[in-house]
Amino acid sequence: QIDLEMSFVEQDDIIEVQERFLQKIFKEMPALFGETLTYHMTNINMTVEKLADLSLMSERTITRMRNPKNKLPSLESIIAVSVGLSLYPELSSDLLQKADVKLHADVPLEMCYQVMLRTMYRDSIQTWNDFLCSNGFYPLREDKLAAEA
């Protein structure tokens, strides 16, 4: 019989590895939003085309988000690329901070985004949209996101 429970020692090892990994990333990351987005994409060999597909955004919008000369993106766009990149919650928070976007606990949609970024960061944008709709919110969709492009 296989013991499916992980020992505390194994959990500690995993946590330590993830902590070192995140520390390394934070030391290397650029200071600006667009450069940080490019950094994350480069780190996982993600093309603009692939991220556009995974985030339900246009390639043009993603290219504009990467350009530091353009205005900072909307909350929805940052959420969408965070989902498309499957960013750890700490890295999504960093992107939001670099775009000068704060999530407010007293705004139901923003609280939902906070919880989802912490718990559903490995899920697809389709799963996110299903969850958002089932909780009475609008999905993250290209036609809504493209309006800012």
Side-chain angles (χ1 to χ4, degrees), residues 4-53:
L4 296 178
E5 290 192 30
M6 192 179 299
S7 74
F8 287 121
V9 173
E10 291 170 316
Q11 288 177 5
D12 284 347
D13 288 346
I14 290 170
I15 291 169
E16 187 178 327
V17 167
Q18 286 181 338
E19 184 179 351
R20 280 195 307 254
F21 173 73
L22 287 171
Q23 286 173 351
K24 177 183 179 292
I25 288 174
F26 274 103
K27 284 180 185 174
E28 294 175 350
M29 266 194 306
L32 300 176
F33 175 87
E35 294 169 352
T36 299
L37 176 57
T38 300
Y39 171 88
H40 290 310
M41 291 174 66
T42 301
N43 247 6
I44 60 171
N45 298 316
M46 177 80 65
T47 64
V48 169
E49 297 78 15
K50 183 69 172 170
L51 182 55
D53 183 51

Side-chain angles (χ1 to χ4, degrees), residues 23-101:
Q23 286 173 351
K24 177 183 179 292
I25 288 174
F26 274 103
K27 284 180 185 174
E28 294 175 350
M29 266 194 306
L32 300 176
F33 175 87
E35 294 169 352
T36 299
L37 176 57
T38 300
Y39 171 88
H40 290 310
M41 291 174 66
T42 301
N43 247 6
I44 60 171
N45 298 316
M46 177 80 65
T47 64
V48 169
E49 297 78 15
K50 183 69 172 170
L51 182 55
D53 183 51
L54 293 173
S55 62
L56 298 182
M57 297 175 66
S58 70
E59 293 175 22
R60 179 174 180 242
T61 298
I62 300 222
T63 299
R64 290 171 56 100
M65 289 174 71
R66 291 172 47 144
N67 185 342
K69 294 178 184 164
N70 288 330
K71 70 176 186 157
L72 293 171
S74 69
L75 168 61
E76 288 77 14
S77 292
I78 299 166
I79 298 292
V81 296
S82 293
V83 174
L85 291 166
S86 297
L87 291 179
Y88 281 109
E90 297 84 356
L91 301 178
S92 294
S93 293
D94 178 70
L95 269 184
L96 288 164
Q97 183 179 14
K98 287 176 179 172
D100 200 27
V101 172

